[in-house]
Amino acid sequence: MTITPRIRGVYSAATTPLNADHSPDLGLFAAHCQRLLDEGCHGVALLGTTGEANSFSLVERQALLEGVVKAGIGPEKLMPGTGVAAIPETVALTRHALSLGVTRVVMLPPFYYKGVSDDGLFAAYARIIEAIGDDRLQVVLYHIPQVSGVALSLPLIGRLIAAFPDTAVGIKDSAGDFGNMEALLAAYPGFSVLAGADPLLLPLVKAGGAGCITATSNLVAASLRTVYDHAIDPAMADRVEAAQARINAYRSLSNTYVQIPTIKAMVGLKTGEPKWAEPRAPLMALNPADQADLAAKFAQLP
Amino acid sequence: MTITPRIRGVYSAATTPLNADHSPDLGLFAAHCQRLLDEGCHGVALLGTTGEANSFSLVERQALLEGVVKAGIGPEKLMPGTGVAAIPETVALTRHALSLGVTRVVMLPPFYYKGVSDDGLFAAYARIIEAIGDDRLQVVLYHIPQVSGVALSLPLIGRLIAAFPDTAVGIKDSAGDFGNMEALLAAYPGFSVLAGADPLLLPLVKAGGAGCITATSNLVAASLRTVYDHAIDPAMADRVEAAQARINAYRSLSNTYVQIPTIKAMVGLKTGEPKWAEPRAPLMALNPADQADLAAKFAQLP
């Protein structure tokens, strides 16, 4: 029996534009989110790692989410990151999302302490979910150990699914290890396994995965949608392969320099709005030479 | 010429007690801080890694600091941790401390992103210090890469000292590499180098270091004070060695299990208040067998 995952599709790990004073540009951000949907994304996973969420204050994060909802984007299309280092603040951010009708969130584990036990991570997620106490909530766990420093193990995920079957419904796996995604699919049928790395979308969908939450979607959402929609259609194989190759080319260029500032600079090149190029410290904008090099290579992309 | 470091002495990396609902116990915490001072600490570096600061919300952190000040402890004796992942919140926590007359803080770099450049870390600290804009502020940089995942390099520290000579006045070096502390002392005369690891207090003070901010001070503050006061007095060498040996014995036992919950459990054993044993998730209390084993070994300590 095939169990359909509850969260499926192409989600964009949306980047966040800044004003000259490094405050978030709420208007440009909402327009960017709308464009991502217009280009084919099923939803926008705003305020993730690519979105520099943890460089923003709780107040700024709430303003960004409210700005998008007020701009008219349906709450059912939004999946904000709400996991921070302190449990009460993860609870507060998630409750705030729910108050706006946003019922799906991507949730990092507490990420300050490293080497913590699965018992400790289970306790943290359990306390958060129980404190929120809202049956509408659907949580996508966030496994990105190369940034957060805190991995989510297969047994931990199984314990969370068993304890909260209607809440712990998926995972964003950004570790880039396809074997881990296959293990998740095999172990937990119906659990939404979403790739955090663009090159893995096609193999993951073919293997029964639920979709992706990726950075390159800021640039080539339509191609990701093509891959997602037609991955298992033999008649479309050539078009799908071409779309995945295009995605991979953008991804490869974005990794030439530090990825997040480069993605932002590429959105600036795509849209003609140079303010996109600026991240918030500790991330730094590309230097002028690298920016010029990037622009030349960007112009050659398919 | 010897330049006297501005921040010197034995500071306690105070642990934070919780109520049954895992909220911080403000009264017990203030009493603990007063006891640490009574036992010989020059000051209390509350809300650090041992204090589980990043597991508390901004509101809880502010309440803990206010509670200590309201309990009558002089703000000049307090050195709270105020560095979090988001610059505006580091600014807010530091301004709050200054509003209470607390002018010295221990400041982590933004710690979500890993592998960030020295330029990015410099920009982050510079933006924070400039946004606060208060000449009273004295910042102790916080180098604890094994937890934060973000190291502060020698050149970065030099750039911060050069740019903010009256603000970037010291470092808590918790990496446990004595060579790094020696390099700091040699490169930056007058910069306060404070050991984050108890066993290094004696060698560091002998080498011209400014003191310590350590976890074992929650248990053996008087011994740390003995080492600090008499480290370079040949007539006191035996007493100093004995004090350092006592410190090391407590430290060694605290590292038998996960350190922070074990330190808390040991404070509980020392004071007879069992509620100390509970940390906030993702840290977990020792299981009953380990707690019993710890109690037996604790009773044997010098």
Side-chain angles (χ1 to χ4, degrees):
Chain A
M1 185 183 77
T2 301
I3 305 170
T4 304
R6 272 179 264 210
I7 300 177
R8 285 172 295 156
V10 172
Y11 287 82
S12 177
T15 61
T16 313
L18 303 182
N19 295 305
D21 66 357
H22 279 203
S23 62
D25 184 331
L26 303 185
L28 185 57
F29 182 62
H32 180 60
C33 291
Q34 184 59 58
R35 187 168 57 74
L36 294 170
L37 295 169
D38 293 345
E39 291 183 1
C41 290
H42 295 90
V44 180
L46 64 165
L47 292 166
T49 299
T50 302
E52 298 175 87
N54 288 312
S55 296
F56 294 114
S57 69
L58 298 196
V59 172
E60 290 173 325
R61 293 167 76 130
Q62 292 174 353
L64 281 159
L65 183 58
E66 284 176 28
V68 173
V69 172
K70 283 183 187 160
I73 296 178
E76 76 285 356
K77 294 193 168 70
L78 299 172
M79 199 154 69
T82 61
V84 296
I87 289 175
E89 294 183 336
T90 299
V91 171
L93 284 171
T94 308
R95 279 189 181 148
H96 173 261
L98 286 159
S99 77
L100 298 171
V102 175
T103 60
R104 292 168 166 176
V105 303
V106 182
M107 197 181 283
L108 281 165
F111 54 78
Y112 181 65
Y113 294 106
K114 310 304 186 295
V116 295
S117 65
D118 276 4
D119 284 349
L121 294 174
F122 179 83
Y125 274 118
R127 281 184 175 270
I128 290 163
I129 291 168
E130 288 164 359
I132 294 165
D134 191 320
D135 290 344
R136 297 175 297 161
L137 178 64
Q138 295 192 336
V139 171
V140 173
L141 308 171
Y142 193 1
H143 176 60
I144 183 167
Q146 71 274 31
V147 181
S148 67
V150 180
L152 304 180
S153 75
L154 207 66
L156 168 65
I157 293 160
R159 285 174 66 184
L160 288 166
I161 294 170
F164 306 102
D166 296 319
T167 307
V169 299
I171 190 165
K172 177 181 180 189
D173 185 343
S174 294
D177 172 5
F178 193 65
N180 191 58
M181 298 183 203
E182 290 179 307
L184 285 162
L185 291 171
Y188 309 121
F191 190 61
S192 293
V193 178
L194 299 153
D198 302 271
L200 298 179
L201 176 59
L202 179 53
L204 182 65
V205 174
K206 283 183 174 173
C212 66
I213 305 176
T214 63
T216 307
S217 61
N218 287 284
L219 301 159
V220 289
S223 296
L224 286 155
R225 183 63 186 264
T226 297
V227 172
Y228 178 82
D229 283 347
H230 305 294
I232 55 175
D233 179 357
M236 295 286 284
D238 287 354
R239 222 180 114 190
V240 166
E241 293 286 350
Q244 183 70 58
R246 180 167 183 257
I247 296 160
N248 293 356
Y250 277 78
R251 163 87 172 189
S252 177
L253 180 55
S254 77
N255 284 342
T256 307
Y257 306 106
V258 179
Q259 192 197 17
I260 295 168
T262 307
I263 290 278
K264 296 187 85 166
M266 289 167 78
V267 174
L269 291 167
K270 172 173 172 154
T271 62
E273 173 50 80
K275 76 193 296 183
W276 270 108
E278 195 69 22
R280 185 176 275 188
L283 301 182
M284 296 292 280
L286 272 59
N287 65 47
D290 289 347
Q291 173 77 29
D293 180 61
L294 177 72
K297 289 173 177 159
F298 183 83
Q300 304 298 318
L301 285 174
Chain B
M1 186 184 75
T2 302
I3 304 169
T4 304
R6 273 179 264 210
I7 299 176
R8 285 172 295 157
V10 172
Y11 286 82
S12 177
T15 60
T16 312
L18 303 181
N19 294 305
D21 66 357
H22 279 203
S23 62
D25 183 331
L26 303 185
L28 184 57
F29 183 63
H32 180 60
C33 292
Q34 184 59 59
R35 187 169 56 76
L36 294 170
L37 294 170
D38 294 345
E39 291 183 1
C41 290
H42 295 91
V44 180
L46 63 166
L47 292 166
T49 300
T50 303
E52 298 176 87
N54 288 313
S55 296
F56 295 115
S57 69
L58 298 195
V59 171
E60 290 173 324
R61 293 168 76 130
Q62 293 174 353
L64 281 159
L65 183 59
E66 285 175 28
V68 173
V69 172
K70 282 183 187 160
I73 296 180
E76 75 285 358
K77 294 193 168 70
L78 299 172
M79 200 153 69
T82 61
V84 295
I87 289 176
E89 294 183 335
T90 299
V91 171
L93 284 171
T94 308
R95 279 190 181 148
H96 173 261
L98 286 159
S99 76
L100 298 171
V102 175
T103 60
R104 292 168 166 176
V105 303
V106 181
M107 196 180 283
L108 281 166
F111 53 79
Y112 181 65
Y113 294 106
K114 308 305 185 295
V116 295
S117 66
D118 275 5
D119 284 350
L121 294 174
F122 179 84
Y125 274 118
R127 281 186 175 270
I128 290 163
I129 292 168
E130 288 164 0
I132 294 164
D134 191 320
D135 290 345
R136 297 175 297 161
L137 178 63
Q138 295 191 337
V139 171
V140 174
L141 308 171
Y142 193 0
H143 177 61
I144 184 167
Q146 71 275 28
V147 182
S148 66
V150 180
L152 304 180
S153 75
L154 207 66
L156 168 65
I157 294 160
R159 286 174 65 184
L160 288 166
I161 294 170
F164 306 101
D166 297 319
T167 307
V169 299
I171 191 165
K172 177 182 181 188
D173 185 342
S174 294
D177 172 5
F178 192 65
N180 190 57
M181 297 182 204
E182 291 180 306
L184 286 163
L185 292 171
Y188 310 121
F191 191 61
S192 292
V193 178
L194 299 154
D198 303 89
L200 298 179
L201 175 59
L202 179 53
L204 182 65
V205 174
K206 283 182 172 173
C212 67
I213 305 175
T214 63
T216 308
S217 61
N218 287 284
L219 301 159
V220 289
S223 297
L224 285 156
R225 184 61 184 265
T226 296
V227 172
Y228 178 82
D229 284 346
H230 305 294
I232 57 174
D233 179 357
M236 294 286 284
D238 287 355
R239 222 181 114 190
V240 166
E241 293 287 351
Q244 184 69 61
R246 181 166 183 257
I247 295 160
N248 293 356
Y250 278 77
R251 163 87 172 191
S252 178
L253 180 55
S254 76
N255 285 343
T256 308
Y257 306 105
V258 179
Q259 191 196 18
I260 295 169
T262 307
I263 290 278
K264 297 188 85 165
M266 290 167 79
V267 174
L269 291 166
K270 172 173 172 155
T271 62
E273 172 50 79
K275 76 193 296 183
W276 270 108
E278 195 68 23
R280 184 176 275 188
L283 301 182
M284 295 292 279
L286 273 60
N287 66 47
D290 290 346
Q291 173 78 28
D293 181 60
L294 177 72
K297 290 175 176 158
F298 183 83
Q300 305 298 319
L301 285 175

PDB file of all heavy atoms in Angstrom, chain B residues 280-297:
ATOM      1  N   ARG B 280      17.585  22.264  30.965  1.00  0.00           N
ATOM      2  CA  ARG B 280      16.530  22.408  29.953  1.00  0.00           C
ATOM      3  C   ARG B 280      16.950  21.634  28.704  1.00  0.00           C
ATOM      4  O   ARG B 280      18.125  21.616  28.339  1.00  0.00           O
ATOM      5  CB  ARG B 280      16.325  23.895  29.625  1.00  0.00           C
ATOM      6  CG  ARG B 280      15.191  24.141  28.650  1.00  0.00           C
ATOM      7  CD  ARG B 280      14.938  25.613  28.416  1.00  0.00           C
ATOM      8  NE  ARG B 280      14.062  26.205  29.409  1.00  0.00           N
ATOM      9  CZ  ARG B 280      13.566  27.432  29.331  1.00  0.00           C
ATOM     10  NH1 ARG B 280      13.875  28.207  28.297  1.00  0.00           N
ATOM     11  NH2 ARG B 280      12.772  27.915  30.270  1.00  0.00           N
ATOM     12  N   ALA B 281      15.979  21.003  28.042  1.00  0.00           N
ATOM     13  CA  ALA B 281      16.270  20.301  26.784  1.00  0.00           C
ATOM     14  C   ALA B 281      16.846  21.307  25.784  1.00  0.00           C
ATOM     15  O   ALA B 281      16.421  22.457  25.777  1.00  0.00           O
ATOM     16  CB  ALA B 281      14.999  19.659  26.231  1.00  0.00           C
ATOM     17  N   PRO B 282      17.845  20.890  24.973  1.00  0.00           N
ATOM     18  CA  PRO B 282      18.198  19.508  24.644  1.00  0.00           C
ATOM     19  C   PRO B 282      19.140  18.842  25.644  1.00  0.00           C
ATOM     20  O   PRO B 282      19.485  17.681  25.424  1.00  0.00           O
ATOM     21  CB  PRO B 282      18.883  19.645  23.285  1.00  0.00           C
ATOM     22  CG  PRO B 282      19.578  20.969  23.368  1.00  0.00           C
ATOM     23  CD  PRO B 282      18.623  21.844  24.151  1.00  0.00           C
ATOM     24  N   LEU B 283      19.583  19.531  26.678  1.00  0.00           N
ATOM     25  CA  LEU B 283      20.367  18.849  27.708  1.00  0.00           C
ATOM     26  C   LEU B 283      19.414  18.040  28.580  1.00  0.00           C
ATOM     27  O   LEU B 283      18.253  18.415  28.744  1.00  0.00           O
ATOM     28  CB  LEU B 283      21.149  19.862  28.539  1.00  0.00           C
ATOM     29  CG  LEU B 283      22.124  20.741  27.747  1.00  0.00           C
ATOM     30  CD1 LEU B 283      22.889  21.690  28.678  1.00  0.00           C
ATOM     31  CD2 LEU B 283      23.108  19.903  26.941  1.00  0.00           C
ATOM     32  N   MET B 284      19.931  16.964  29.162  1.00  0.00           N
ATOM     33  CA  MET B 284      19.091  16.073  29.948  1.00  0.00           C
ATOM     34  C   MET B 284      19.741  15.815  31.302  1.00  0.00           C
ATOM     35  O   MET B 284      20.971  15.738  31.414  1.00  0.00           O
ATOM     36  CB  MET B 284      18.923  14.727  29.229  1.00  0.00           C
ATOM     37  CG  MET B 284      18.177  14.822  27.910  1.00  0.00           C
ATOM     38  SD  MET B 284      16.428  15.263  28.114  1.00  0.00           S
ATOM     39  CE  MET B 284      15.743  13.651  28.538  1.00  0.00           C
ATOM     40  N   ALA B 285      18.910  15.643  32.307  1.00  0.00           N
ATOM     41  CA  ALA B 285      19.415  15.280  33.628  1.00  0.00           C
ATOM     42  C   ALA B 285      20.053  13.896  33.571  1.00  0.00           C
ATOM     43  O   ALA B 285      19.693  13.051  32.741  1.00  0.00           O
ATOM     44  CB  ALA B 285      18.286  15.288  34.648  1.00  0.00           C
ATOM     45  N   LEU B 286      21.009  13.659  34.461  1.00  0.00           N
ATOM     46  CA  LEU B 286      21.592  12.321  34.574  1.00  0.00           C
ATOM     47  C   LEU B 286      20.500  11.318  34.950  1.00  0.00           C
ATOM     48  O   LEU B 286      19.571  11.644  35.689  1.00  0.00           O
ATOM     49  CB  LEU B 286      22.676  12.309  35.655  1.00  0.00           C
ATOM     50  CG  LEU B 286      24.090  12.694  35.224  1.00  0.00           C
ATOM     51  CD1 LEU B 286      24.152  14.108  34.656  1.00  0.00           C
ATOM     52  CD2 LEU B 286      25.056  12.561  36.404  1.00  0.00           C
ATOM     53  N   ASN B 287      20.636  10.094  34.440  1.00  0.00           N
ATOM     54  CA  ASN B 287      19.678   9.064  34.844  1.00  0.00           C
ATOM     55  C   ASN B 287      19.964   8.665  36.292  1.00  0.00           C
ATOM     56  O   ASN B 287      21.031   8.983  36.835  1.00  0.00           O
ATOM     57  CB  ASN B 287      19.719   7.865  33.880  1.00  0.00           C
ATOM     58  CG  ASN B 287      21.051   7.134  33.940  1.00  0.00           C
ATOM     59  OD1 ASN B 287      21.544   6.845  35.027  1.00  0.00           O
ATOM     60  ND2 ASN B 287      21.642   6.854  32.784  1.00  0.00           N
ATOM     61  N   PRO B 288      19.007   8.017  36.944  1.00  0.00           N
ATOM     62  CA  PRO B 288      19.164   7.738  38.388  1.00  0.00           C
ATOM     63  C   PRO B 288      20.435   6.947  38.725  1.00  0.00           C
ATOM     64  O   PRO B 288      21.080   7.222  39.742  1.00  0.00           O
ATOM     65  CB  PRO B 288      17.897   6.948  38.725  1.00  0.00           C
ATOM     66  CG  PRO B 288      16.887   7.420  37.724  1.00  0.00           C
ATOM     67  CD  PRO B 288      17.659   7.662  36.455  1.00  0.00           C
ATOM     68  N   ALA B 289      20.806   5.993  37.884  1.00  0.00           N
ATOM     69  CA  ALA B 289      22.012   5.205  38.174  1.00  0.00           C
ATOM     70  C   ALA B 289      23.261   6.100  38.134  1.00  0.00           C
ATOM     71  O   ALA B 289      24.122   6.018  39.026  1.00  0.00           O
ATOM     72  CB  ALA B 289      22.148   4.062  37.170  1.00  0.00           C
ATOM     73  N   ASP B 290      23.336   6.935  37.124  1.00  0.00           N
ATOM     74  CA  ASP B 290      24.487   7.836  37.019  1.00  0.00           C
ATOM     75  C   ASP B 290      24.475   8.855  38.156  1.00  0.00           C
ATOM     76  O   ASP B 290      25.527   9.232  38.685  1.00  0.00           O
ATOM     77  CB  ASP B 290      24.483   8.547  35.661  1.00  0.00           C
ATOM     78  CG  ASP B 290      24.812   7.601  34.507  1.00  0.00           C
ATOM     79  OD1 ASP B 290      25.298   6.487  34.783  1.00  0.00           O
ATOM     80  OD2 ASP B 290      24.590   7.994  33.343  1.00  0.00           O
ATOM     81  N   GLN B 291      23.285   9.320  38.486  1.00  0.00           N
ATOM     82  CA  GLN B 291      23.165  10.286  39.592  1.00  0.00           C
ATOM     83  C   GLN B 291      23.680   9.646  40.889  1.00  0.00           C
ATOM     84  O   GLN B 291      24.412  10.290  41.660  1.00  0.00           O
ATOM     85  CB  GLN B 291      21.701  10.712  39.733  1.00  0.00           C
ATOM     86  CG  GLN B 291      21.380  11.580  40.950  1.00  0.00           C
ATOM     87  CD  GLN B 291      21.786  13.040  40.777  1.00  0.00           C
ATOM     88  OE1 GLN B 291      21.834  13.554  39.659  1.00  0.00           O
ATOM     89  NE2 GLN B 291      22.102  13.709  41.877  1.00  0.00           N
ATOM     90  N   ALA B 292      23.340   8.383  41.127  1.00  0.00           N
ATOM     91  CA  ALA B 292      23.796   7.696  42.346  1.00  0.00           C
ATOM     92  C   ALA B 292      25.312   7.502  42.318  1.00  0.00           C
ATOM     93  O   ALA B 292      26.001   7.705  43.330  1.00  0.00           O
ATOM     94  CB  ALA B 292      23.090   6.351  42.484  1.00  0.00           C
ATOM     95  N   ASP B 293      25.823   7.130  41.156  1.00  0.00           N
ATOM     96  CA  ASP B 293      27.264   6.954  41.000  1.00  0.00           C
ATOM     97  C   ASP B 293      27.989   8.280  41.238  1.00  0.00           C
ATOM     98  O   ASP B 293      29.019   8.338  41.929  1.00  0.00           O
ATOM     99  CB  ASP B 293      27.531   6.432  39.581  1.00  0.00           C
ATOM    100  CG  ASP B 293      29.004   6.200  39.316  1.00  0.00           C
ATOM    101  OD1 ASP B 293      29.605   5.377  40.042  1.00  0.00           O
ATOM    102  OD2 ASP B 293      29.553   6.834  38.408  1.00  0.00           O
ATOM    103  N   LEU B 294      27.415   9.338  40.668  1.00  0.00           N
ATOM    104  CA  LEU B 294      28.005  10.664  40.852  1.00  0.00           C
ATOM    105  C   LEU B 294      28.016  11.053  42.333  1.00  0.00           C
ATOM    106  O   LEU B 294      29.022  11.572  42.845  1.00  0.00           O
ATOM    107  CB  LEU B 294      27.206  11.701  40.043  1.00  0.00           C
ATOM    108  CG  LEU B 294      27.667  13.152  40.192  1.00  0.00           C
ATOM    109  CD1 LEU B 294      28.993  13.378  39.473  1.00  0.00           C
ATOM    110  CD2 LEU B 294      26.600  14.118  39.650  1.00  0.00           C
ATOM    111  N   ALA B 295      26.915  10.787  43.018  1.00  0.00           N
ATOM    112  CA  ALA B 295      26.827  11.151  44.438  1.00  0.00           C
ATOM    113  C   ALA B 295      27.898  10.429  45.252  1.00  0.00           C
ATOM    114  O   ALA B 295      28.532  11.019  46.137  1.00  0.00           O
ATOM    115  CB  ALA B 295      25.436  10.825  44.972  1.00  0.00           C
ATOM    116  N   ALA B 296      28.115   9.162  44.935  1.00  0.00           N
ATOM    117  CA  ALA B 296      29.125   8.393  45.673  1.00  0.00           C
ATOM    118  C   ALA B 296      30.519   8.962  45.435  1.00  0.00           C
ATOM    119  O   ALA B 296      31.311   9.113  46.372  1.00  0.00           O
ATOM    120  CB  ALA B 296      29.073   6.924  45.232  1.00  0.00           C
ATOM    121  N   LYS B 297      30.806   9.296  44.188  1.00  0.00           N
ATOM    122  CA  LYS B 297      32.123   9.852  43.869  1.00  0.00           C
ATOM    123  C   LYS B 297      32.274  11.276  44.409  1.00  0.00           C
ATOM    124  O   LYS B 297      33.367  11.685  44.815  1.00  0.00           O
ATOM    125  CB  LYS B 297      32.345   9.830  42.354  1.00  0.00           C
ATOM    126  CG  LYS B 297      32.539   8.413  41.808  1.00  0.00           C
ATOM    127  CD  LYS B 297      32.635   8.393  40.292  1.00  0.00           C
ATOM    128  CE  LYS B 297      32.920   6.977  39.781  1.00  0.00           C
ATOM    129  NZ  LYS B 297      32.508   6.799  38.384  1.00  0.00           N
TER     130      LYS B 297
END
